[in-house]
């Protein structure tokens, strides 16, 4: 029998119209007709959806017009680029129209949800019966063009196969930006052929802090890893086939000890013995920052030349240059840095950092790319073409948007998914404020009071995952899910004001969605709290009490 109620869709679509009675049955005779521009969705349906249901989805006859038992894919430029219209009719099948190839692909993610949790497996279950989809028409489009997740692979390395898995999880939730945090004090994770020591030395540390930096526990095993250039090409191609933009991050001038350990001349060697440095073994804000020399500039231009080749402009228009948490103490003590300030006619060390960011903004712009950086790049003057990732709160994003710069809202107090999910003592390695599933669902990326013109510069939002206390895939899953599901609805759907959002309805839809996550093998945090094997008793965290401030 066909279902009598709408599927529990997440993110919530713009509109669903239909009786939800009667339905279309997918079976061995169902064909797939793919029009021009829908090739990525055609391949995905045959490689991912069809095996889950044991279907062949043989090519349909596009010239025959409306035919029975067919899934028909069409690019319809009258729709918004990422919008789609999904029409299910018992006598015809499924017609999926998107404003672009991306719109068709997002519609296919909705189709997968309509087919039930079994559609999220890799092979059909024994005794699986043909799937019935109720007659309906779904109209949908995203609220934001930037719907992102940042994954830190520098603190704890995420294997390539797990990165590809996360791209699939992003696609399943209609998230379209993967911010790839590739370099930091604790590890350099991308092969740069002209500078081989970056991975020979910078990708490996002798041991690792276990828990927060205040913990007295250590994992004494040598640790590391990196992506070869072919690994990176594979990841970028895999993302592109899912209409996901990859934003690589190469951190400057702070968070750079791994690079300095590999090439000591990059650091402030007139202040500290940079030759004695190794990739950092613990967490926090590191004092060892890049020296503001011509050699450093030329070195990172060389790095970026290879980065741009690995991340082509059509799939990676943005390059993230970090710019956050750069202590200026070494620059204040460095005769070289002080001479640089005087030579350039700068007022202080903040302007020196701004000069460095401005240089790379111009360098990237001249090569058809856009620089994006954390909100500290506002200090000392923002580079003309730069986009701001507003992480310390809303304030940096508000300042940038009012000045006419594009902004991605990712305030730490709201959407840092490394922050703990509950106040109980069983939360593993608890970090930061309590951010529950409901808290994330009520997050609003556009702060009140922005003018309409400034609000238009908030191009989207992003959840950030810092992995200091996430040593493996299971821990990342626990911190990210189910909260990323709520975040995805915030980023995609046109929701009312936070206090008016129907969280009870979201929870009702999550009942079905947990079954989808189960089928995908996601080690999410259960609604009732961590399971015994998800706890980390005795490992120190850094919980912060009370409601997080809105800053």
């Amino acid at each position: 029998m066909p279902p009598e109620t709408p599927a529990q869709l997440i993110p919530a679509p713009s509109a669903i119209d239909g009786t939800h009675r009667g339905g279309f049955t997918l079976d061995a005779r169902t064909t797939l007709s793919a029009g021009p521009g829908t090739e990525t969705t055609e391949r995905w349906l045959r490689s991912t959806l069809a095996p889950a249901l044991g279907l062949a989805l043989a090519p349909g006859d596009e010239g025959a017009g409306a035919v029975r038992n067919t899934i028909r894919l069409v690019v319809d430029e009258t729709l918004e680029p990422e919008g789609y219209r999904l029409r299910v009719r018992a006598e015809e099948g499924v017609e999926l129209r998107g404003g672009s190839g991306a719109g068709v692909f997002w519609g296919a993610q909705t189709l997968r949800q309509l087919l039930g949790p079994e559609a999220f497996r890799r092979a059909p279950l024994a005794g699986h019966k043909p799937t019935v989809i109720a007659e309906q028409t779904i109209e949908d489009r995203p609220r934001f063009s930037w719907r992102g997740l940042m994954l830190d692979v520098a603190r704890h390395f995420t294997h390539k196969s797990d990165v590809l898995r996360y791209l699939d999880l992003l696609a399943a939730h209609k998230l379209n930006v993967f911010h790839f945090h590739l370099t930091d004090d604790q590890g350099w994770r991308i092969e740069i052929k002209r500078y081989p020591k970056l991975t020979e030395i910078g990708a490996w540390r002798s041991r690792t802090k276990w828990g927060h930096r205040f913990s007295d526990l250590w994992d004494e095993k040598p640790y590391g890893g990196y992506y070869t250039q072919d690994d990176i090409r594979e990841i970028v191609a895999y993302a592109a086939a899912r209409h996901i933009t990859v934003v690589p991050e190469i951190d400057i001038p702070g968070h750079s000890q791994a690079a300095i350990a590999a090439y000591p001349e990059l650091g402030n060697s007139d202040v500290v013995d940079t030759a004695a440095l190794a990739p950092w073994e613990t967490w926090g804000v590191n004092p060892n920052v890049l020296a503001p020399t011509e050699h450093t500039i030329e070195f990172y231009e060389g790095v970026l030349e290879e980065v741009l080749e690995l991340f082509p402009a059509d799939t990676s228009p943005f390059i993230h240059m970090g710019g956050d948490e750069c202590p200026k103490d070494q620059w204040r003590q460095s005769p070289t840095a002080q001479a640089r300030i005087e030579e350039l006619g700068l007022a202080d060390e903040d302007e020196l950092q701004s000069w460095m960011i401005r240089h790379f903004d111009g360098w990237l712009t001249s090569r058809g790319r856009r620089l994006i950086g954390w909100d500290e790049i506002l200090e000392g003057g923002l580079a003309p073409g730069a986009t701001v990732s507003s992480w310390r709160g809303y304030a940096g994003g508000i300042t940038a948007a009012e000045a006419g710069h594009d902004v991605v809202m990712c305030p730490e107090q709201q959407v840092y998914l490394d922050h703990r999910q509950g106040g109980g003592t069983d939360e593993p390695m608890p970090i930061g404020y309590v951010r529950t599933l409901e808290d994330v669902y009520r997050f609003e990326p556009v702060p009140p009071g922005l003018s309409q013109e400034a609000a238009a510069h908030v191009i989207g939002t992003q959840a950030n995952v810092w992995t200091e206390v996430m040593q493996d895939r299971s821990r990342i899953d626990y911190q990210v899910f189910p909260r990323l599901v709520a975040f995805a609805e915030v980023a995609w759907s046109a929701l009312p004001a936070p206090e008016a959002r129907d969280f009870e309805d979201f929870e009702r839809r999550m009942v079905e969605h947990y079954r989808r996550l189960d089928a995908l093998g996601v080690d999410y945090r259960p609604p009732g709290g961590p399971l015994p094997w998800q706890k980390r008793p005795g490992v120190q965290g850094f919980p912060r009490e009370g409601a997080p401030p809105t800053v």
Side-chain angles (χ1 to χ4, degrees):
M1 293 291 292
E4 296 188 358
T5 57
Q8 310 306 303
L9 299 177
I10 295 178
S14 304
I16 303 178
D17 180 36
T19 63
H20 303 289
R21 296 179 182 275
F24 164 61
T25 303
L26 275 77
D27 57 29
R29 298 166 297 172
T30 301
T31 60
L32 175 61
S33 174
T38 68
E39 294 81 7
T40 54
T41 303
E42 177 187 16
R43 287 192 292 270
W44 181 84
L45 287 170
R46 288 208 173 98
S47 65
T48 301
L49 192 61
L53 301 175
L55 302 176
L57 295 183
D61 184 359
E62 179 68 22
V67 294
R68 295 173 59 88
N69 206 357
T70 296
I71 299 172
R72 185 165 178 253
L73 309 179
V74 181
V75 170
D76 181 347
E77 294 181 355
T78 65
L79 300 172
E80 292 187 13
E82 289 193 280
Y84 66 88
R85 181 184 300 120
L86 178 61
R87 183 175 180 269
V88 183
R89 294 294 180 268
E91 297 301 316
E92 300 172 15
V94 176
E95 182 184 71
L96 176 51
R97 290 180 172 268
S100 66
V104 175
F105 185 75
W106 304 132
Q109 303 311 307
T110 297
L111 174 62
R112 189 188 198 185
Q113 292 193 14
L114 292 173
L115 292 168
E118 293 79 8
F120 290 78
R121 297 188 178 274
R122 296 192 179 187
L125 302 180
H128 173 72
K129 297 179 180 179
T131 303
V132 180
I133 311 176
E135 288 196 347
Q136 58 197 289
T137 299
I138 299 173
E139 300 265 0
D140 206 6
R141 61 185 182 276
R143 179 184 179 191
F144 292 109
S145 61
W146 184 300
R147 307 179 300 278
L149 176 78
M150 188 225 70
L151 180 61
D152 165 24
V153 299
R155 274 55 176 265
H156 277 101
F157 179 65
T158 299
H159 192 276
K160 180 193 69 177
S161 61
D162 290 329
V163 173
L164 301 179
R165 173 179 177 264
Y166 256 83
L167 292 172
D168 281 329
L169 289 170
L170 294 188
H173 294 88
K174 299 186 175 72
L175 296 171
N176 69 340
V177 176
F178 178 59
H179 178 168
F180 205 7
H181 185 80
L182 288 163
T183 73
D184 218 296
D185 297 304
Q186 296 83 4
W188 183 285
R189 305 297 180 210
I190 177 172
E191 178 188 27
I192 302 297
K193 291 187 181 296
R194 74 184 69 183
Y195 303 127
K197 292 181 182 178
L198 287 171
T199 47
E200 291 173 2
I201 295 173
W204 310 95
R205 57 182 183 256
S206 61
R207 63 176 184 166
T208 299
K209 177 65 70 173
W210 181 240
H212 191 265
R213 65 179 179 272
F214 297 145
S215 168
D216 58 1
L217 301 176
W218 292 89
D219 182 343
E220 296 289 350
K221 296 190 300 293
Y223 182 90
Y226 66 92
Y227 308 101
T228 68
Q229 294 204 348
D230 282 345
D231 289 338
I232 294 291
R233 292 185 181 99
E234 180 183 359
I235 289 167
V236 170
Y238 197 86
R242 286 146 184 80
H243 298 275
I244 295 172
T245 294
V246 182
V247 179
E249 180 175 357
I250 305 296
D251 237 318
I252 65 166
H255 288 290
S256 297
Q257 181 161 317
I260 297 168
Y263 292 92
E265 67 273 16
L266 296 174
N268 296 284
S269 56
D270 56 350
V271 176
V272 296
D273 180 8
T274 56
L277 295 176
W280 212 21
E281 302 163 346
T282 188
W283 324 121
V285 178
N286 189 300
N288 295 303
V289 303
L290 296 175
T293 63
E294 282 301 319
H295 174 75
T296 298
I297 295 295
E298 292 171 3
F299 183 97
Y300 275 86
E301 286 178 350
V303 168
L304 288 172
E305 285 175 3
E306 295 192 27
V307 167
L308 296 192
E309 189 274 326
L310 295 170
F311 296 89
D314 57 345
T315 56
S316 299
F318 287 89
I319 305 296
H320 206 293
M321 297 301 296
D324 63 314
E325 297 182 327
C326 176
K328 308 297 193 300
D329 294 343
Q330 289 185 359
W331 286 356
R332 293 187 185 98
Q333 300 169 36
S334 165
T336 302
Q338 292 303 309
R340 192 66 151 164
I341 290 172
E342 183 176 356
E343 173 194 346
L344 296 169
L346 304 176
D348 54 23
E349 291 77 17
D350 285 342
E351 286 196 7
L352 183 59
Q353 177 172 340
S354 176
W355 165 80
M356 186 175 282
I357 297 296
R358 285 171 179 265
H359 172 86
F360 284 105
D361 177 64
W363 191 92
L364 288 168
T365 298
S366 69
R367 289 158 177 80
R369 306 301 181 96
R370 296 182 64 183
L371 181 143
I372 182 169
W374 303 109
D375 56 55
E376 285 97 330
I377 68 173
L378 289 161
E379 298 166 2
L382 186 58
T387 297
V388 170
S389 300
S390 190
W391 78 273
R392 289 181 293 180
Y394 290 103
I398 292 170
T399 298
E402 288 178 343
H405 291 270
D406 286 345
V407 172
V408 175
M409 283 293 185
C410 50
E412 173 188 15
Q413 303 83 359
Q414 310 298 328
V415 288
Y416 267 34
L417 299 185
D418 45 304
H419 283 210
R420 58 193 174 134
Q421 302 185 66
T425 57
D426 287 336
E427 287 300 316
M429 304 188 203
I431 300 296
Y433 296 103
V434 173
R435 292 286 84 194
T436 65
L437 183 65
E438 182 172 0
D439 291 330
V440 174
Y441 190 67
R442 298 193 188 279
F443 164 62
E444 174 48 49
V446 180
L450 271 186
S451 68
Q452 185 175 357
E453 182 179 2
H457 282 289
V458 180
I459 60 174
T461 184
Q462 180 173 291
N464 293 338
V465 183
W466 300 101
T467 61
E468 287 94 334
V469 298
M470 297 179 223
Q471 75 283 3
D472 55 32
R473 186 178 88 173
S474 180
R475 278 287 292 123
I476 294 173
D477 276 6
Y478 178 91
Q479 291 298 134
V480 171
F481 287 97
R483 292 183 296 181
L484 189 69
V485 184
F487 174 81
E489 184 150 308
V490 168
W492 177 278
S493 304
L495 298 177
E499 63 276 5
R501 292 176 189 172
D502 191 347
F503 181 68
E504 288 185 1
D505 175 70
F506 177 77
E507 282 189 306
R508 177 184 61 81
R509 288 180 283 126
M510 277 300 298
V511 173
E512 179 78 354
H513 202 72
Y514 283 122
R515 295 179 63 203
R516 298 172 189 141
L517 296 179
D518 286 335
L520 288 167
V522 176
D523 292 328
Y524 58 84
R525 180 188 191 272
L531 298 169
W533 54 87
Q534 294 174 320
K535 302 172 185 179
R536 298 292 187 274
V539 184
Q540 185 173 353
F542 187 63
R544 303 177 72 178
E545 302 302 334
T550 300
V551 294

